[in-house]
């Protein structure tokens, strides 16, 4: 599979179609079948799959965000993905940060603390309760995890409220890469610092 290495590649229909053809590649199949389960149980069509250019079950870094939004929004037509190449500013900022810090996409997997659409601007208690079993399943599929990066207040508060534990993994908190918050210098530095810390935690990885 040809892997474009520039942000927003998903705006090209051929790229999106190629990624869709590989959603059950061995390294991402268990996670994407979990997405199918969530879709069936929550009765939400077109939930975003994990981009097969990610490390999937081999990943050492989990990027945890809030909920499917922007180019990953299930209400959009065509297959949706959690991807560095999505056609939105958040994906572009994460792409740029990973490039700057030398974090390869094969080390990564992305997820949302609520892996289905939410009613408000942040997950509520009931949505987090629904999401918790899915998140536990996701964590069980990541045996090589070394770092969890919680990006934004909903990801941080949801993680703590649900009491997730990943033995041996470093938990790093940072600001969300989404606007308008990321436009504030303090938040931008918090996001960039989190990504830098993730890279440092991977130093010496084989």
């Amino acid at each position: 599979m040809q892997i474009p290495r520039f942000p927003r590649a998903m705006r090209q229909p051929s790229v999106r179609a190629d990624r869709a053809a590989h959603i059950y590649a061995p390294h991402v199949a268990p996670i994407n079948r979990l997405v199918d389960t969530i879709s069936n149980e929550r009765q939400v069509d077109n939930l975003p799959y994990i981009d097969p250019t990610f490390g999937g079950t081999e990943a050492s870094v989990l990027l945890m965000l809030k909920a499917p939004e922007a180019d990953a929004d299930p209400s959009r037509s065509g297959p949706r993905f959690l991807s560095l190449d999505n056609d939105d500013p958040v994906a572009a900022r994460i792409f740029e940060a990973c490039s700057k810090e030398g974090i390869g996409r094969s080390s990564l997997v992305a997820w949302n603390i609520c892996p289905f659409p939410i009613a408000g601007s942040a997950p509520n208690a009931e949505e987090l309760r629904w999401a918790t079993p899915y998140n536990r399943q996701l964590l069980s599929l990541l045996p090589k995890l070394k770092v969890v990066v919680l990006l934004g207040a909903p990801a941080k508060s949801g993680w703590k409220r649900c009491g997730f534990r990943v033995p041996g993994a470093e938990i790093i908190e940072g600001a969300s890469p989404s606007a308008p918050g990321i436009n504030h210098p303090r938040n931008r530095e918090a996001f960039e610092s989190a990504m830098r810390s993730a890279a440092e935690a991977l130093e010496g990885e084989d």
Side-chain angles (χ1 to χ4, degrees):
M1 175 174 56
Q2 287 292 105
I3 303 177
R5 295 291 182 179
F6 52 89
R8 305 192 181 191
M10 288 296 185
R11 66 178 58 181
Q12 301 180 51
S14 61
V15 171
R16 194 176 294 276
D18 185 58
R19 304 288 172 91
H22 293 84
I23 59 171
Y24 298 122
H27 67 297
V28 289
I31 302 173
N32 284 335
R33 294 197 186 282
L34 173 59
V35 173
D36 289 335
T37 297
I38 298 169
S39 178
N40 291 333
E41 293 183 355
R42 301 305 314 158
Q43 297 185 336
V44 179
D45 292 332
N46 211 28
L47 285 179
Y49 288 110
I50 298 299
D51 185 338
T53 67
F54 277 148
T57 56
E58 299 294 309
S60 48
V61 180
L62 169 62
L63 300 179
M64 184 71 80
L65 293 109
K66 179 176 67 175
E69 297 179 315
D71 198 23
D73 188 336
S75 67
R76 295 193 174 195
S77 62
R80 299 291 106 191
F81 296 93
L82 298 178
S83 174
L84 296 183
D85 298 318
N86 275 355
D87 188 13
D88 63 62
V90 167
R93 290 186 187 106
I94 297 175
F95 179 100
E96 291 164 4
C98 288
S99 296
K100 178 181 178 181
E101 301 301 337
I103 303 174
R105 64 177 69 202
S106 63
S107 297
L108 293 170
V109 69
W111 194 251
N112 289 296
I113 198 71
C114 269
F116 45 80
I118 58 177
S121 59
N124 59 38
E126 185 174 38
E127 289 165 338
L128 286 172
R129 179 173 58 80
W130 291 335
T132 295
Y134 303 133
N135 291 332
R136 292 197 190 284
Q137 289 180 61
L138 181 277
L139 293 174
S140 75
L141 297 174
L142 303 174
K144 297 185 179 181
L145 208 56
K146 291 185 176 181
V147 184
V148 178
V149 186
L150 305 174
L151 294 175
K156 289 182 279 188
S157 62
W159 181 273
K160 292 174 182 176
R161 173 176 287 192
C162 297
F164 297 127
R165 297 287 184 273
V166 184
E170 182 174 352
I171 310 300
I172 297 171
E173 298 182 0
S176 168
S178 63
I182 195 65
N183 297 328
H184 191 288
R186 181 180 59 194
N187 291 339
R188 180 173 290 275
E189 171 54 30
F191 166 67
E192 293 176 349
S193 176
M195 299 302 290
R196 188 162 54 248
S197 295
E200 290 169 356
L202 293 181
E203 288 181 1
E205 184 182 43
D206 291 335

